[in-house]
Amino acid sequence: MSEPTGKYSITMPRDIAEAAKARSGPSGLSAYVAAAVARQIERDNLNELIQVAEAEHGAISDEEIQSLRDQLHQARAEQSERGANAA
């Protein structure tokens, strides 16, 4: 069952609206815009969590971020390798 919907009027630059309309596909512009807004809300919520965590534990250094990215890339490479070997 889908969520209840409401009808809203928004204003945006014409070029953005036309690009969104062109990309919206069969689901339509309203679904496309709703998905974009949902993603922005997720980002806003994550940014709030990051701010709280950094206030409590301090900021994450660029080196720590790069180390975590390297670990993620390594894990993905190992996962791909295991998948290729299983085939």
Side-chain angles (χ1 to χ4, degrees):
M1 181 180 244
S2 65
E3 294 288 323
T5 61
K7 188 168 182 142
Y8 302 92
S9 174
I10 61 169
T11 302
M12 70 176 77
R14 181 172 284 127
D15 60 334
I16 292 173
E18 291 302 320
K21 189 174 180 182
R23 293 179 172 265
S24 63
S27 62
L29 182 60
S30 291
Y32 189 86
V33 171
V37 171
R39 280 191 306 274
Q40 184 62 47
I41 291 169
E42 289 174 355
R43 286 177 173 221
D44 292 344
N45 289 340
L46 286 172
N47 283 332
E48 289 172 10
L49 287 172
I50 290 167
Q51 289 174 356
V52 169
E54 286 184 340
E56 186 173 335
H57 302 287
I60 300 171
S61 71
D62 289 340
E63 292 80 16
E64 290 171 309
I65 292 171
Q66 187 58 50
S67 174
L68 292 170
R69 282 185 178 143
D70 292 344
Q71 290 176 40
L72 178 60
H73 290 296
Q74 180 65 32
R76 286 181 176 162
E78 290 172 3
Q79 184 178 31
S80 293
E81 187 177 306
R82 282 193 303 270
N85 290 337

